[in-house]
Amino acid sequence: MNNSSDFESCRPRPLSMSIPVLMCLVCFIGFLLNVFSLWVFCCRLPSWSAGTVLQFNLALSDTLATPVTPLMAVYVAMGNDWSFGKLLCTAKIAFVSAQFYGSSIFLSLISFHRYKAVVHFNKSSRMKDKSFIKKLCAGVWLLLLAFTLLFAFVVPSTKIGKITQCFRFSEASLKNSFFIVSCVLVSVTFLIPLSVSATCYICVKNALARLNNITPKSLKAKLKSRRMIRMCLIIFVICFLPMNVIRTTAGVVMMFYPGQCQLIDPLQTAYYASWVVAGLNCCLDPLLYFFGSQTFRDAVPSFRLKSAEPQPSDTEMTPNNM
């Protein structure tokens, strides 16, 4: 089947209105939670550790899709017809990419940081150096910018008849580009970060099982590190697994069966639905700060814990004051 017939047979189909409604709802709740988290980081914490720098950058990446979410919702509601121009199409890709892929990378870095704090707590490490962590975060943002440019130039906005598409994979002319992009993204922004987090969790769990002669205070802090890594893994599986599986499957289908609309159309619908699920990470990440960081909880006035016995803070986890 040639490209023209592919274009005719796989025209965009309208999606359920529940998708844009849920998209806006999830984004709005996540925006409020992350703005509050950023306020706590910037205005309530007198000093930052290396772990705080990572958490701040995670919260920042979670807020970036907010400006373009209404445009995405209108786009879906109007039958996948993008009427906001190529510049805003590129901006949409940039902000959504920064949120999804930035979150997965920063979650893996938080897991690795906690692993170093527990398994190598008596050794010096660059992961405990705040200046190094800042440079590392800057490198992540440069990587996200590269992904944005890759999307913008490799998968541009296109027209199918009178309908303008902004990053829709069901186009035969883009099947090679989309397949390559899908393979790169699933490797760099999902499989590698997920493997890092899973490995860190296993290593921390094994290290805690071997610990002897440890004070209750230190043990409690290390158990909190294991809990934070576990929360990172849960967020990975719940939020990012569906989107990556669907996008990779769509890339394979488009590459080898470009004219099979009975396969492509359900995948396109499932892909947009997976955006809603992936967007849940911006609602779950603030729970990571609150339940995984005593310092963050103590910085929230309404939830300051007042117990007779002092709680171990994040800065007490290592002698090097991460």
Side-chain angles (χ1 to χ4, degrees), residues 135-297:
K135 295 176 182 177
L136 183 62
C137 291
V140 173
W141 287 110
L142 289 176
L143 179 64
L144 295 177
L145 178 61
F147 283 143
T148 298
L149 296 176
L150 178 67
F151 269 122
F153 292 104
V154 176
V155 190
S157 60
T158 55
K159 291 186 73 68
I160 301 180
K162 295 182 179 180
I163 299 178
T164 302
Q165 299 288 281
C166 181
F167 187 61
R168 181 179 175 89
F169 58 71
S170 56
E171 288 199 41
S173 62
L174 300 178
K175 63 179 182 180
N176 294 331
S177 300
F178 189 82
F179 180 77
I180 295 173
V181 168
S182 297
C183 292
V184 171
L185 289 178
V186 75
S187 301
V188 177
T189 67
F190 181 71
L191 293 179
I192 293 177
L194 178 61
S195 300
V196 169
S197 295
T199 302
C200 289
Y201 180 75
I202 294 172
C203 291
V204 167
K205 186 177 180 180
N206 293 336
L208 289 176
R210 296 193 301 267
L211 285 177
N212 295 313
N213 301 322
I214 186 172
T215 64
K217 185 177 181 179
S218 180
L219 177 61
K220 191 171 184 178
K222 295 179 187 302
L223 288 173
K224 284 184 178 180
S225 290
R226 186 180 70 175
R227 182 173 62 187
M228 178 171 275
I229 298 175
R230 183 169 63 238
M231 291 174 67
C232 290
L233 280 173
I234 292 172
I235 293 173
F236 262 115
V237 173
I238 292 177
C239 299
F240 299 127
L241 178 62
M243 182 180 67
N244 281 276
V245 169
I246 293 170
R247 186 185 59 229
T248 304
T249 303
V252 173
V253 171
M254 278 300 301
M255 185 68 182
F256 299 103
Y257 308 99
Q260 301 298 317
C261 297
Q262 69 274 17
L263 297 176
I264 296 172
D265 289 337
L267 284 171
Q268 186 75 66
T269 301
Y271 185 57
Y272 281 117
S274 72
W275 279 18
V276 179
V277 178
L280 287 173
N281 85 286
C282 65
C283 301
L284 297 176
D285 287 343
L287 301 180
L288 191 72
Y289 321 139
F290 187 83
F291 291 106
S293 172
Q294 182 67 40
T295 304
F296 186 91
R297 287 202 300 273

Side-chain angles (χ1 to χ4, degrees), residues 33-72:
L33 291 173
N34 282 284
V35 166
F36 175 76
S37 299
L38 291 173
W39 173 77
V40 172
F41 286 130
C42 295
C43 302
R44 298 294 302 177
L45 294 182
S47 61
W48 286 14
S49 65
T52 306
V53 174
L54 290 172
Q55 293 173 21
F56 172 81
N57 280 272
L58 175 59
L60 185 61
S61 69
D62 284 342
T63 62
L64 290 183
T66 303
V68 296
T69 299
L71 300 181
M72 293 164 54

Side-chain angles (χ1 to χ4, degrees), residues 13-28:
R13 296 186 179 182
L15 302 177
S16 170
M17 283 300 298
S18 61
I19 292 180
V21 170
L22 290 174
M23 196 180 292
C24 290
L25 179 62
V26 168
C27 179
F28 179 70

